[in-house]
Amino acid sequence: MSTIIRSTPENYKERSTEMDSKKPTEKLANYTKPQLIGLFLGPALFLVIKTFVSPDDMSATAVTVLAVVAWIATWWVTEAMPIPITSLLPLLLFPLLGVMETGAVSANYGDPLIFLFAGSFMIALSMEKWNLHKRIALSIISFVGTNPSTLILGFMVATAFLSMFISNTATTMMMVPISLAVTKHVADSLKQNSEIDTSPGKFPFGTALMLGTAYAATIGGFGSLVGAPANIILAATVSTLYDVEISFARWLMFGVPLVALLIPIIWLYLTKVAFPLKLNSIPGGKDIVKKELSGLGKMSYEEKVVLAIFTFTGIAWITRSFILNNFIPGLDDTLIALFAGILLFAIPAKNQGGNILDWDTILKLPWGILWLFGGGLALAAGIMESGLDQWIGGQLTGFGNIPLFLTIALIVGTITVMTEFTSNTATATMVYPIVAVAAATLGTDPIVLMVAANMGATFAYMFPVAAPPNAIVFGTGYIKMSTMALTGVWLNLFSLVFTVIIVYFYVPLIFGHLM
């Protein structure tokens, strides 16, 4: 979950932490109430399951793994411990409890797809370091006119594109200050218009722009394999469980059409239904974006280098499976990403000392997410090693007669509700192995149902804690909690229907022949 600090647009960049506002004699609580409950509930569930659960058809090792899963899931949901730290529990508990040896567990924390994510993030950090991401975003936005609806669409397209290759959190953090500048300018120019309330939280244009930015970041992250942690974890879990590769190009074939479809739909919903805009044009709105763009100056040598390597990497990912592997059989997406990252370290910069990418910059890489990847894969390995997957499958045999579309709707609906209150990455990591077992029992392609779980974990729009972009835009003050919830609930219902249709008809075309 995310900690939200409410702020108005005027003080957005000058947030103070809660610690700053406390008197020196006051002591902050180390844990929130849910965290404190989760801290003790996790180990308690472990002990209860380990002591009292002993079905005749479940081995003692499977009971142990089930107890560990309950402990980890509780800490993930309540964030009693930081999610990355909780993700190290399999590395500690599985060897101690005799489930797997240390070497076998630790191997999951070095999965090749973890390094794919690390390599892609090196490229993203280079783009951020030299402001190439901002230039791309502003260029897309400046292409649209001063009509408020099309300006919002420009922000959404720019955000979605960047989010395919840069973390949705970083993308949103970059786009929100620009969004706020445009919103404040529009509000100032309309103060004489008594028909439109431009105050934060009540200004339709500002609300639609903020929500559009957040939603576009989430949707864009779904578009590529490296765009969101849940996508990488899905590919890694499929590789671990079935030795099947989901390549960058294949996910692109699946994700990009959905992004291209969803962005216009949500844009129309925000601007025509949820927050209909009474403005025909924005005085000087486009000038703000052009001013920001001109402030960047001409494209620097460093930006050109990063853009060239970024383009080269994308082409290599897309063509690898049907062209490059004919010449380099051992080449995979991970090696391409790592090669690009190392190349960025090797090329010297001209306008500053050092190289295009340096170690101080790479320290910003989200190492905790990599631990979360490993923890999820370790859990999946433990579930299979102990036979817990077979036991869970046996309990699901009674559901074999349920129509597939109802099964998909049930999985997606349940995961979406969970994601509204917990980390979507942790939720996805937790449910993938269980969904895979359910699919095998129900006679369904497991990859199809796992993709459905991924979509359920991704498309959650109601609350700030559902996704980091939601939390960031909520902190601007232009969105009330009730507004986000009311807007998001209809999008959640739409996404449920949309996902069922996509998973039932489209997913088998892309992934159905992999197994």
Side-chain angles (χ1 to χ4, degrees):
M1 299 182 199
S2 304
T3 302
I4 314 300
I5 301 176
R6 290 297 303 274
S7 59
T8 61
E10 288 74 14
N11 66 8
Y12 179 75
K13 293 184 179 180
E14 299 175 357
R15 294 177 178 173
S16 59
T17 63
E18 186 179 358
M19 181 70 77
D20 294 332
S21 63
K22 294 286 183 179
K23 295 180 181 179
T25 56
E26 295 183 37
K27 184 178 180 180
L28 294 175
N30 292 325
Y31 297 95
T32 64
K33 190 173 182 180
Q35 288 174 329
L36 193 61
I37 292 173
L39 184 66
F40 293 99
L41 181 60
L45 286 175
F46 170 83
L47 291 174
V48 169
I49 294 173
K50 191 83 172 71
T51 304
F52 299 106
V53 174
S54 56
D56 294 335
D57 53 348
M58 182 187 288
S59 68
T61 306
V63 172
T64 299
V65 172
L66 180 63
V68 172
V69 170
W71 183 348
I72 292 174
T74 302
W75 276 13
W76 269 345
V77 169
T78 61
E79 295 193 34
M81 288 282 181
I83 288 176
I85 299 301
T86 300
S87 303
L88 294 177
L89 281 180
L91 187 57
L92 174 67
L93 296 177
F94 280 175
L96 289 177
L97 298 170
V99 176
M100 299 171 66
E101 293 184 356
T102 303
V105 182
S106 62
N108 293 283
Y109 293 81
D111 188 90
L113 284 169
I114 293 178
F115 291 96
L116 169 62
F117 184 82
S120 67
F121 219 92
M122 291 181 195
I123 301 172
L125 288 171
S126 298
M127 294 175 71
E128 292 180 38
K129 177 182 178 181
W130 300 106
N131 267 337
L132 176 61
H133 64 320
K134 189 172 184 179
R135 186 181 298 277
I136 293 172
L138 290 171
S139 297
I140 294 173
I141 296 167
S142 67
F143 184 75
V144 303
T146 57
N147 180 282
S149 294
T150 56
L151 189 58
I152 291 174
L153 178 61
F155 268 90
M156 292 181 68
V157 170
T159 303
F161 175 78
L162 289 175
S163 193
M164 289 176 61
F165 305 100
I166 301 174
S167 79
N168 54 19
T169 303
T171 300
T172 309
M173 287 297 293
M174 181 199 70
M175 295 298 293
V176 162
I178 305 172
S179 303
L180 282 170
V182 172
T183 301
K184 191 173 185 305
H185 172 81
V186 175
D188 290 342
S189 66
L190 295 175
K191 282 183 178 179
Q192 305 302 321
N193 189 337
S194 59
E195 296 181 2
I196 300 177
D197 187 347
T198 59
S199 59
K202 298 180 180 180
F203 187 23
F205 173 80
T207 303
L209 181 57
M210 296 303 159
L211 286 177
T213 301
Y215 295 160
T218 297
I219 294 168
F222 182 79
S224 78
L225 190 62
V226 299
N231 302 348
I232 286 283
I233 296 171
L234 170 62
T237 305
V238 168
S239 177
T240 298
L241 296 181
Y242 308 112
D243 195 25
V244 171
E245 180 193 20
I246 297 179
S247 67
F248 182 90
R250 185 175 299 279
W251 189 273
L252 215 60
M253 290 170 54
F254 170 64
V256 169
L258 297 189
V259 174
L261 187 62
L262 285 171
I263 291 296
I265 290 175
I266 293 182
W267 167 68
L268 286 171
Y269 169 72
L270 289 175
T271 59
K272 306 301 181 185
V273 179
F275 309 100
L277 307 177
K278 300 178 182 179
L279 302 172
N280 294 321
S281 64
I282 299 174
K286 191 174 181 180
D287 292 339
I288 295 177
V289 177
K290 285 187 174 181
K291 184 178 178 181
E292 291 265 357
L293 189 58
S294 64
L296 295 175
K298 293 183 178 180
M299 182 176 283
S300 66
Y301 161 80
E302 290 80 7
E303 287 180 86
K304 292 176 182 178
V305 170
V306 175
L307 180 61
I309 292 177
F310 171 67
T311 305
F312 157 77
T313 305
I315 293 173
W317 275 335
I318 293 169
T319 61
R320 190 263 304 173
S321 58
F322 57 89
I323 294 180
L324 295 181
N325 280 149
N326 294 327
F327 304 97
I328 313 175
L331 187 67
D332 58 27
D333 291 341
T334 299
L335 296 181
I336 293 170
L338 290 177
F339 176 75
I342 293 172
L343 195 60
L344 289 166
F345 271 102
I347 299 175
K350 286 186 177 180
N351 298 309
Q352 292 183 19
N355 295 340
I356 299 294
L357 186 60
D358 56 71
W359 187 248
D360 287 341
T361 302
I362 211 67
L363 289 176
K364 299 176 184 177
L365 196 151
W367 302 101
I369 293 292
L370 304 185
W371 285 3
L372 175 58
F373 289 168
L377 295 176
L379 274 185
I383 289 172
M384 292 185 64
E385 181 74 19
S386 67
L388 179 59
D389 57 337
Q390 298 176 11
W391 182 85
I392 294 174
Q395 311 312 304
L396 298 172
T397 53
F399 296 91
N401 297 324
I402 296 178
L404 178 59
F405 75 92
L406 286 180
T407 302
I408 295 170
L410 182 62
I411 290 173
V412 173
T414 302
I415 294 174
T416 299
V417 171
M418 290 174 59
T419 302
E420 289 290 357
F421 302 97
T422 64
S423 161
N424 55 350
T425 305
T427 300
T429 305
M430 188 167 47
V431 301
Y432 285 152
I434 298 173
V435 170
V437 172
T441 303
L442 300 175
T444 304
D445 187 333
I447 297 179
V448 171
L449 286 194
M450 291 169 77
V451 171
N454 173 273
M455 295 177 73
T458 300
F459 302 138
Y461 305 100
M462 284 181 61
F463 297 118
V465 295
N470 291 13
I472 293 167
V473 299
F474 179 74
T476 65
Y478 271 96
I479 301 169
K480 295 180 179 179
M481 177 72 78
S482 57
T483 302
M484 181 177 283
L486 184 61
T487 306
V489 68
W490 295 108
L491 286 176
N492 279 1
L493 292 173
F494 162 76
S495 294
L496 175 60
V497 176
F498 177 82
T499 299
V500 171
I501 294 172
I502 292 298
V503 172
Y504 196 83
F505 294 104
Y506 182 54
V507 172
L509 296 177
I510 305 296
F511 301 107
H513 61 284
L514 292 180
M515 293 293 291

